[in-house]
């Protein structure tokens, strides 16, 4: 049984940063990922990462923009920590080797991003996430003596001891199907988001909410689950993302009448208002008949000088050409709002600690909450790194002063039984993929930019039905080597749990704030709803709701205009 | 909607059956990707098909496969383009696992065993220059863009799959790992550029093992152009660091240059001795003796005749001399890198200009076949950055001579 001081589940930016921080503290570390670490979804982050590093900028300004962006649901104490520590984190990355863009005099250069009062987004062309992820992986290879990598291992559940401490996890080696218990003094969940519960989505096929569901299963509370970000610029056909960097570089949005409609909705910030505002504006234009016949809006990047586009937005030039047949340097590309990010997640404090002793969470799987009702572009990479590092440090400190807890092998038999029962399901029911499609369409219909009670009730009923269908859905692959079919069935269960929590949270919040716009409650209501909704598992399989306060340090809620 | 036949190479180690091909029908529009077709089949017909994939958008590097014999990303290969290149019948698309790596199951290969081991071979992390500054390292804008080309590598393994040298010499460090090496050698913040170059020059399976077959440039979906990075490593090793590799690779290249400068054409009889420092160099004698069989074979087949060997029938024309003069008289060596500059057409900075722009809507690897252009409006070149710290023998001065080795066409086409 592998035993380590710190066990990290997930090897995206949050997980890898946590691993390096824990190792630096002297802990032994295991990092597990169901795909090779550089395939983690952080690789797709394009636009950049925020920090108030310029002399003219200040962390307070960054923090205020974040608070306002969150529609005052973000926890200000946590936001302060993130924004204060951001500059040092950028420098740490630079020293580790990230090839950040330079200005004419060779210093770090920035680009503008939505919802920000300063150009404070640091970037590497439009492969920022990839560049950082690959550099962190370089560091993992460098520190291989302290950090054991388990690449292509799938975590199926978290382990609690008799007193309710988290002491490890059960994992399956995807390569040969072997089950293994990983024993640890501290466990950090860093397994990313749950975008695949929606269809279409900008998220990769691996973003199936595993960690959120696994924490929920052992009783950890989830927070802000109703807050789902729709990104303003995604391709209609497949949901691929056109980075906000495009608008940061100067691209405009037009409706089918050729109007630059953001002048109506956000007269000051225009296309660079925060994402919920821009997405809602687009959706309104489309619903009121001013979109293109295919239900889209035009994003015009030809405004940006061609040479600049080719240097700074190369990836979306490729995406436009290869996946939409459009040369974005010469013609507008059609886009619409698309599911992109889940603000909610496993509730943690600023050290990544969940209410379950020994269990930490960081990155998209977690909710600190620094994003509140709406995440600003380029704040998520920052969130993963700052709270990844803080979790790693805290988890290592705790672990170094503890003895290795004991775990029992009996859990392996339980998990094996569960797998066997999936393998032995009788054919005849629906296919996994059908259930997944119906879930995605349901969420995208009822839990999207505009929501109302009736729609959310319908969505909830559908999810309950899909849960029953998923419990008996048969699979084709009966083998042990790379049985992706089997893992797909497990992931579907995770997505259904996460979806249910999203819908329960959305039904509960009877107001409009950030990404949640209720057509039946169109106003923000600070008197009743300036609070977090926590969802946790109640008995067998029904989420129950509680509330927790929002931390307010220096910014009282105001009306939000851009 | 067009119908395609997806012919998948199946292999399941647990059944004990030999690998075989299985046909599946899919209906999808032609601009959809081969990956979408595979997933449609997996979702609707056979869930046991093994394929790695995640992002669907050519970003994560998971889905390297061979389509109709050529390595690339399944999610980055359009069905209609694949069908057009098929030699197996109308709309038949053959998908197989990548080459040069052991197969685990169906389309899944063991990247760890080959690709990642080789990556680890090149000390794949920055050895930061001391002292580490309090703020960022100050480095030229262009140097960062230059290494961004290799940072763009998503480690998909397509180049490794199709590398000709690796097929012959499994120990070859290989295109992806060498491109990774350039990511540090080209990074002005790295302290060990000289060591890295010395190591990769002296390894008989290192930078001089590549045979310029262009396969890696063809295969790469991200425009990393590994072969070009290997050429850059060689230039830096030879010209900036004066590394005499044991394999004699650098001198061999210089012999080519000398040969062309003198004759305008290759004069093989001079090439071999020159590669060892001239006919009278002490190393030349044993080397020439050991090469005797080659010489004899060349004589026998008429590739070299005594007359040709002794008389120089061809003299370099003044144009050739002029090229050498122009290049060698530059104060700094210019590295033309179309990845930075774009090609001439891309540089037309006028958004209203719709006359150019031909390189769109194809799914061929984003390699634009265009020769390097002489510095247009803005110089499309990076000056060889910073003072190299020589390791082997201290070099008195930085030699900024540009080796003429295929400069304009050697594939800096991104
Ligand atoms: C297209 C796109 C562009 C974006 N651009 C930006 C941007 O410009 N700026 C910005 O700030 N943010 C951006 N974001 C958001 C940001 O990329 C993500 O929120 C962030 O990268 C999440 O990182 P993470 O480390 O939490 O998770 P991930 O990178 O998703 O990593 C999750 C890890 O967990 C592992 N894992 C999951 N489940 C299991 C399991 N069951 N067992 C074992 N391992 C498991 C995975 O293998 C993976 O290693 C973008 C997001 C998308 C989709
Ligand atoms: S050019 Fe060199 S590295 Fe590239 S595939 Fe050919 S032999 Fe391999
Ligand atoms: S160089 Fe290109 S082909 Fe080779 S691994 Fe990197 S991205 Fe893939
Ligand atoms: S699925 Fe990510 S590169 Fe093809």
């Amino acid at each position: 049984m592998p035993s380590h001081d710190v066990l990290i589940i997930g090897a995206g930016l949050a997980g890898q940063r946590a691993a390096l921080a824990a190792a630096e503290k002297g802990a032994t570390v295991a990092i597990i990922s169901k795909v090779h670490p550089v395939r983690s979804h952080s690789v797709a982050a394009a636009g950049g990462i925020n920090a108030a590093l310029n002399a003219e900028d200040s962390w307070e300004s960054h923090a205020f923009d974040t608070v306002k962006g969150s529609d005052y649901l973000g926890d200000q104490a946590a936001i302060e920590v993130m924004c204060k520590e951001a500059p040092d984190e950028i420098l740490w990355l630079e020293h580790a080797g990230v090839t950040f863009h330079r200005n004419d005099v060779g210093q770090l250069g920035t680009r503008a991003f939505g919802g920000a009062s300063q150009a404070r987004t640091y970037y590497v062309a439009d492969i920022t996430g990839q560049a950082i992820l690959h550099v962190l992986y370089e560091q993992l290879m460098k520190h291989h003596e302290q950090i054991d990598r388990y690449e292509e291992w799938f975590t199926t559940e978290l382990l609690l001891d008799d007193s309710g401490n988290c002491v490890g996890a059960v994992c399956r080696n995807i390569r040969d199907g072997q089950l293994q218990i990983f024993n640890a003094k501290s466990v950090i969940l860093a397994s990313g988001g749950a975008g695949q519960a929606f269809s279409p989505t900008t998220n990769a096929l691996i973003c199936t909410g595993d960690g959120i569901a696994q924490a929920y299963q052992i009783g950890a509370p989830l927070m802000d689950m109703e807050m789902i970000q729709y990104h303003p610029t995604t391709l209609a056909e497949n949901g691929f993302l056109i980075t906000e960097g495009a608008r940061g570089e100067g691209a405009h949005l037009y409706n089918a009448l050729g109007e630059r409609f953001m002048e109506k909705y956000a007269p000051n910030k225009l296309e660079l208002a925060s994402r919920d505002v821009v997405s809602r504006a687009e959706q309104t234009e489309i619903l009121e008949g001013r979109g293109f016949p295919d239900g889209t809006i035009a994003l015009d990047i030809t405004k940006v000088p061609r040479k600049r586009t080719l240097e700074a937005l190369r990836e979306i030039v490729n995406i436009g050409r290869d996946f939409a047949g459009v040369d974005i340097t010469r013609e507008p590309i059609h886009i619409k709002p698309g599911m992109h990010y889940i603000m909610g997640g496993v509730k943690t404090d600023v050290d990544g600690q969940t209410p379950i002793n020994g269990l930490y969470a960081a990155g998209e799987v977690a909710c600190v909450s620094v994003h509140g009702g709406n995440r600003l572009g380029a704040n998520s990479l920052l969130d993963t790194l700052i709270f990844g590092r803080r979790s790693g440090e805290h988890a290592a400190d705790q672990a170094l002063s503890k003895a290795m807890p004991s775990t029992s092998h009996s859990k392996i038999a339980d998990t094996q039984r569960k797998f066997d029962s999936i393998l032995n399901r009788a054919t005849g029911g629906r296919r996994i993929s059908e259930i997944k499609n119906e879930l995605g369409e349901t969420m995208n219909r009822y839990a999207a930019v505009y929501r109302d009670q009736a729609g959310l009730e319908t969505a909830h009923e559908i999810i309950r039905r899909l849960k029953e269908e998923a419990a008996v859905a048969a699979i084709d692959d009966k083998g042990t080597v790379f049985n992706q079919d089997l893992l797909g069935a497990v992931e579907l269960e995770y997505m259904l749990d996460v979806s249910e929590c999203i819908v329960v949270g959305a039904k509960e919040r009877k107001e409009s704030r950030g990404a949640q716009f209720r057509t039946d409650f169109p106003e923000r209501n600070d008197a009743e709803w300036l609070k977090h909704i926590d969802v946790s598992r109640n008995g067998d399989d029904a989420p129950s709701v509680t509330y927790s306060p929002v931390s307010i340090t220096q910014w009282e809620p105001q009306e939000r205009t851009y | 909607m067009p119908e395609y036949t997806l012919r998948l190479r199946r292999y399941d180690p647990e059944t004990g059956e030999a690998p075989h091909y299985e046909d599946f029908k899919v209906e999808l529009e032609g601009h959809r990707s081969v990956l979408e077709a595979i997933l449609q089949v997996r979702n609707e017909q056979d869930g046991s098909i093994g394929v790695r994939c995640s992002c669907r958008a050519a970003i994560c590097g998971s889905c390297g496969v061979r389509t109709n014999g050529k390595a690339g990303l399944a999610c980055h290969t359009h069905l209609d383009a694949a069908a057009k290149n098929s030699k197996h019948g109308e709309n038949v698309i053959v998908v197989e696992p990548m080459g040069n790596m052991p197969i685990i199951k169906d389309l899944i290969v063991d990247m760890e065993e080959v690709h990642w081991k080789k990556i680890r071979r090149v000390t794949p992390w920055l050895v930061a220059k001391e002292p580490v500054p309090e703020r960022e390292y100050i480095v030229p804008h262009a140097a960062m863009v230059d290494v961004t080309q290799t940072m763009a590598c998503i480690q998909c393994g397509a180049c490794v799959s199709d590398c000709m040298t690796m097929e012959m010499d499994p120990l070859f460090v290989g295109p992806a790992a060498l491109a990774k090496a350039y990511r540090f050698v080209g990074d002005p913040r790295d302290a060990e550029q000289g060591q890295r170059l010395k190591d990769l020059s002296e390894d008989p399976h290192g930078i001089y093992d590549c045979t310029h077959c262009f396969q890696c440039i063809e295969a790469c979906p991200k425009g990393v152009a590994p072969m070009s990075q290997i050429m850059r490593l060689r230039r830096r090793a030879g010209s900036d660091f004066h590394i005499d590799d044991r394999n004699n690779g650098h001198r061999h290249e210089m012999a080519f240059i000398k040969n062309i400068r003198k004759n305008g054409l290759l004069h093989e009889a001079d090439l071999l001795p020159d590669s060892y420092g001239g006919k009278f160099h002490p190393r030349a004698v044993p080397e020439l003796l050991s090469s005797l069989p080659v010489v004899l074979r060349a004589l026998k087949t008429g590739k070299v005749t005594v007359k040709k060997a002794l008389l120089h029938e061809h003299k370099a024309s003044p144009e050739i001399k002029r090229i050498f003069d122009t290049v060698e008289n530059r104060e700094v060596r210019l590295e033309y890198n179309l990845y930075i500059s774009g090609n001439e057409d891309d540089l037309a900075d006028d958004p209203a200009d719709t006359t150019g722009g031909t390189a769109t809507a194809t799914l061929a690897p984003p390699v634009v076949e265009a020769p390097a252009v002489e510095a247009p409006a803005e110089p499309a070149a990076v000056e060889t950055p910073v003072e190299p710290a020589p390791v082997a023998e201290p070099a008195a001065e930085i030699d900024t001579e540009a080796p003429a080795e295929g400069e304009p066409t050697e594939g800096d086409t991104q």
Side-chain angles (χ1 to χ4, degrees):
Chain A
M1 176 188 318
S3 295
H4 296 81
D5 293 329
V6 180
L7 168 68
I8 298 168
I9 300 163
L13 287 184
Q16 294 199 33
R17 188 67 186 90
L20 291 166
E24 200 174 323
K25 284 269 177 183
T28 57
V29 179
I31 183 164
I32 288 181
S33 174
K34 66 178 174 180
V35 293
H36 186 282
V38 304
R39 321 280 177 227
S40 300
H41 190 54
S42 295
V43 79
I49 172 167
N50 288 334
L53 182 60
N54 274 336
E56 316 83 73
D57 203 354
S58 70
W59 72 260
E60 288 92 346
S61 162
H62 181 189
F64 173 69
D65 290 342
T66 305
V67 170
K68 179 179 170 188
S70 81
D71 217 348
Y72 296 91
L73 189 65
D75 280 324
Q76 296 183 9
I79 292 172
E80 288 189 6
V81 167
M82 179 175 84
C83 297
K84 267 188 213 164
E85 294 182 1
D88 279 345
E89 190 62 28
I90 300 286
L91 292 176
W92 184 88
L93 292 172
E94 202 276 324
H95 294 159
V98 177
T99 55
F100 282 117
H101 167 83
R102 306 289 156 146
N103 62 20
D104 303 341
V105 290
Q107 298 163 334
L108 296 176
T110 56
R111 69 160 43 123
F113 239 63
S117 51
Q118 289 261 355
R120 66 166 73 93
T121 303
Y122 293 86
Y123 66 98
V124 181
D126 57 356
I127 56 165
T128 312
Q130 179 185 329
I132 302 177
L133 187 71
H134 284 242
V135 167
L136 291 190
Y137 189 67
E138 291 167 12
Q139 296 294 315
L140 282 196
M141 291 190 278
K142 179 175 173 187
H143 296 286
H144 62 93
E145 278 173 8
Q146 258 181 294
I147 304 173
D148 292 334
R149 305 191 303 272
Y150 294 86
E151 297 166 353
E152 304 194 312
W153 283 69
F154 187 101
T155 300
T156 60
E157 70 191 292
L158 300 170
L159 293 179
L160 295 179
D161 68 7
D162 296 340
S163 359
N165 304 311
C166 186
V167 293
V170 186
C171 304
R172 175 180 167 107
N173 185 347
I174 298 177
R175 173 98 186 234
D176 62 11
Q178 171 211 155
L179 282 174
Q180 186 76 265
I181 284 187
F182 283 75
N183 195 193
K185 301 179 194 169
S186 309
V187 179
I188 304 177
L189 264 181
S191 41
Q196 282 293 320
F198 291 69
S199 171
T201 170
T202 63
N203 286 201
L205 298 168
I206 55 170
C207 301
T208 47
D210 305 10
I212 302 177
Q214 287 159 2
Y216 172 73
Q217 288 294 341
I218 61 164
L222 311 179
M223 186 162 84
D224 297 348
M225 289 299 286
E226 67 279 15
M227 297 300 180
I228 300 295
Q229 180 164 80
Y230 271 66
H231 192 289
T233 54
T234 67
L235 293 185
E237 184 170 47
N238 44 30
F240 291 172
L241 180 80
I242 303 293
T243 171
E244 186 164 306
R247 280 170 291 136
E249 298 288 343
H252 294 172
L253 293 167
Y254 294 100
N255 63 21
L257 308 176
E259 294 164 342
R260 195 174 168 199
F261 56 88
M262 284 312 296
E263 289 167 354
K264 267 187 301 190
Y265 300 91
N268 297 319
K269 296 297 288 183
L270 299 159
E271 282 83 1
L272 290 178
S274 68
R275 287 181 178 169
D276 56 328
V277 174
V278 182
S279 285
R280 248 185 325 269
E282 289 176 2
Q283 195 65 32
T284 308
E285 293 294 306
I286 294 166
L287 290 175
E288 293 178 359
R290 293 186 294 278
F292 290 89
D294 55 346
T296 60
I297 291 292
L299 175 70
D300 188 359
I301 306 171
T302 65
K303 298 275 175 283
V304 183
R306 213 158 172 243
K307 179 162 190 286
R308 177 70 189 156
T309 306
L310 290 168
E311 178 183 306
L313 300 170
R314 182 181 295 275
E315 195 54 47
I316 60 169
V317 172
N318 293 343
I319 287 194
R321 183 193 58 212
D322 298 339
F323 297 102
V326 172
D327 178 356
I328 60 157
T329 68
R330 300 191 183 278
E331 53 185 317
I333 187 164
H334 285 200
I335 51 84
K336 66 178 188 183
M339 190 283 169
H340 181 54
Y341 183 83
I342 165 159
M343 268 74 76
V346 184
K347 182 186 173 92
T348 73
D349 67 10
V350 293
D351 292 315
Q353 295 189 89
T354 71
I356 291 184
N357 195 25
L359 180 65
Y360 295 74
E364 198 166 336
V365 68
C367 178
V368 189
S369 129
V370 286
H371 307 304
N374 170 64
R375 164 175 83 84
L376 291 191
N379 260 357
S380 165
L381 293 189
L382 184 61
D383 167 21
T384 62
L385 293 163
I386 297 285
F387 296 105
R389 173 175 56 71
R390 291 180 67 97
S391 306
E393 285 169 354
H394 200 277
D397 281 343
Q398 291 293 307
L400 291 173
S401 61
K402 265 199 255 182
M404 189 62 69
S406 60
T407 36
S408 91
H409 263 286
S410 67
K411 270 289 172 187
I412 288 197
D414 293 349
T415 309
Q416 190 59 54
R417 259 195 301 282
K418 184 181 164 178
F419 282 152
D420 289 344
S421 81
I422 298 177
L423 291 167
N424 295 329
R425 282 175 193 165
T427 47
R430 296 179 83 190
R431 290 186 71 83
I432 301 281
S433 58
E434 276 174 65
I435 301 174
K436 184 180 169 214
N437 288 346
E438 188 178 349
L439 173 67
E441 281 158 20
T442 303
M443 295 301 281
N444 200 45
R445 178 144 169 222
Y446 299 112
V449 175
Y450 288 115
R451 304 166 170 179
D452 62 29
Q453 191 72 23
L456 292 165
E457 296 289 0
T458 310
H460 200 174
E461 278 163 33
I462 294 175
I463 293 167
R464 302 294 308 182
R465 167 171 56 78
L466 294 178
K467 279 192 163 186
E468 283 164 26
E469 292 172 358
V472 295
I475 58 170
D476 301 332
D477 195 339
K478 312 286 182 201
T480 55
V481 177
F482 264 90
N483 190 336
Q484 298 169 315
D485 211 11
L486 176 65
L487 300 179
V490 177
E491 288 171 340
L492 178 63
E493 290 175 17
Y494 295 147
M495 285 187 277
L496 286 162
D497 275 348
V498 172
S499 301
E500 182 168 25
C501 295
I502 292 170
V503 168
V504 165
K507 277 200 298 189
E508 184 70 16
R509 186 173 286 284
K510 297 193 174 47
E511 65 153 356
S512 293
R513 178 187 302 272
Q516 153 115 335
F517 195 97
R518 293 277 305 248
T519 51
D520 43 356
F521 300 97
E523 298 298 325
R524 192 173 89 190
N525 177 353
D526 287 340
E528 277 178 81
W529 289 106
L530 185 57
K531 58 187 177 193
H532 297 290
I533 294 171
D534 298 351
V535 180
S536 36
R537 190 161 166 234
N538 172 20
D540 259 0
D541 192 24
S544 68
V545 167
T546 51
Y547 306 110
S548 54
V550 173
S551 130
I552 293 185
T553 56
Q554 40 178 316
W555 297 283
E556 284 302 322
Q558 300 167 5
E559 202 198 335
R560 187 161 162 262
T561 54
Y562 283 98
Chain B
M1 223 183 292
E3 193 186 68
Y4 296 93
T5 303
L6 209 54
R7 184 164 297 162
L8 299 183
R9 187 177 191 276
R10 304 294 310 264
Y11 169 66
D12 180 351
E14 290 174 281
T15 59
E17 272 177 51
H20 58 279
Y21 290 86
E22 190 172 353
D23 283 2
F24 297 93
K25 299 269 179 235
V26 279
E27 274 188 23
L28 267 177
E29 284 158 273
H31 70 279
R32 295 296 192 142
S33 70
V34 168
L35 179 65
E36 283 173 289
I38 298 172
L39 291 182
Q40 193 189 82
V41 171
R42 182 159 93 178
N43 285 339
E44 294 172 7
Q45 303 175 43
D46 182 351
S48 73
I49 295 169
V51 60
R52 287 196 187 97
C53 57
S54 177
C55 71
R56 305 162 290 147
I59 301 172
C60 74
S62 300
C63 68
V65 294
R66 269 184 173 159
T67 305
N68 297 329
K70 286 222 169 293
L73 300 172
C75 70
H76 192 248
T77 309
H78 287 177
L79 288 166
D80 48 11
K84 217 161 58 207
N85 296 332
S86 172
K87 293 184 197 73
H88 309 272
E90 201 182 338
N91 282 357
V92 178
I93 298 171
V94 179
V95 188
E96 299 162 300
M98 290 193 288
N100 282 336
M101 288 176 268
I103 297 167
I104 297 177
K105 174 185 173 183
D106 293 343
L107 303 173
I108 299 170
V109 296
D110 195 342
M111 296 274 294
E112 167 56 30
E113 193 51 39
V114 179
H115 176 83
W116 288 107
K117 277 202 177 131
K118 291 181 186 296
I119 293 287
R120 292 197 291 274
R121 154 74 185 79
V122 302
T123 319
W125 52 80
L126 187 79
V127 182
K129 263 194 189 144
E130 304 279 351
V132 177
E134 211 169 286
R135 295 221 6 151
E136 68 269 35
Y137 286 90
I138 305 296
V139 292
H141 168 84
M144 280 293 113
V145 182
D146 182 39
V147 290
T148 299
Q149 181 174 16
T150 47
M151 275 314 310
C153 170
I154 53 175
Q155 311 294 355
C156 68
C159 55
V160 172
S161 158
D162 283 12
C163 174
M164 301 283 218
T165 300
M166 189 113 53
E167 226 173 290
M168 306 299 295
D169 173 16
L171 294 177
F172 177 38
V173 177
L178 290 175
K180 185 86 178 169
Y182 183 77
R183 174 247 174 289
F184 303 105
V185 168
D187 191 326
R189 299 169 296 177
D190 194 83
E192 305 231 313
Q193 297 173 343
Q195 249 96 2
R196 291 176 189 276
L197 287 167
K198 191 163 187 296
D199 166 35
L200 291 172
S201 300
E202 299 202 329
D203 185 335
H205 314 284
I207 52 180
Y208 290 103
D209 205 14
C210 159
T211 55
H212 309 185
C213 73
F214 279 83
Q215 289 289 339
C216 53
I217 296 188
E218 280 262 308
C220 179
K222 302 307 279 189
V224 174
M227 188 184 94
S228 303
Q229 312 305 337
I230 296 172
M231 295 305 124
R232 290 200 176 105
L233 290 170
R234 289 189 190 180
R235 276 199 288 279
R236 301 214 64 192
S239 301
D240 297 348
F241 288 86
H242 304 286
I243 293 169
D244 261 336
D245 55 298
R246 248 177 256 131
N247 316 309
N248 217 28
H250 179 56
R251 228 170 310 169
H252 186 55
E253 292 199 340
M254 297 319 278
F256 264 93
I257 296 169
K258 184 174 163 203
N259 209 282
I260 298 288
R261 185 203 300 269
K262 212 161 97 192
N263 306 318
L265 290 175
L266 264 193
H267 187 68
E268 267 123 358
D270 278 350
L271 193 59
L272 204 58
D274 280 347
S275 298
Y276 295 101
K279 292 183 191 95
F280 306 108
H281 193 280
R283 251 170 90 185
V285 179
E287 288 295 343
L288 280 175
L289 281 178
S290 74
S291 303
L292 215 54
V294 180
V295 176
L296 288 177
R297 226 179 307 130
L299 283 168
K300 216 165 116 195
T301 56
K303 194 159 185 201
V304 172
T305 63
V306 178
K307 184 171 157 237
K308 270 200 222 158
L310 295 178
L311 299 176
H312 291 184
E313 291 171 327
H314 196 278
K315 289 275 171 273
S317 67
E319 278 77 28
I320 303 251
K321 292 220 157 62
R322 228 186 40 239
I323 295 176
F324 274 94
D325 286 347
T326 312
V327 174
E328 289 175 355
N329 289 335
R330 284 202 186 111
E331 304 229 314
V332 285
R333 190 177 72 233
L334 298 179
E335 288 272 353
Y336 284 101
N337 186 341
L338 290 175
Y339 190 81
I340 303 174
S341 63
N343 61 27
E344 195 171 21
D345 167 54
D346 291 341
L347 276 171
D349 224 356
D350 178 9
D353 171 18
T354 48
T355 49
T358 46
T360 54
T362 58
L363 202 84
V367 173
V368 185
E369 292 296 344
V373 272
E374 267 292 57
E378 219 177 303
V382 206
E383 296 179 5
T384 310
V386 298
E387 9 53 86
V391 275
E393 308 107 44
E397 52 176 53
I398 302 164
D399 185 354
T400 51
E401 176 184 304
E405 143 254 295
E407 185 71 69
T409 49
E410 52 96 324
D412 290 357
T413 40
Q414 275 295 297

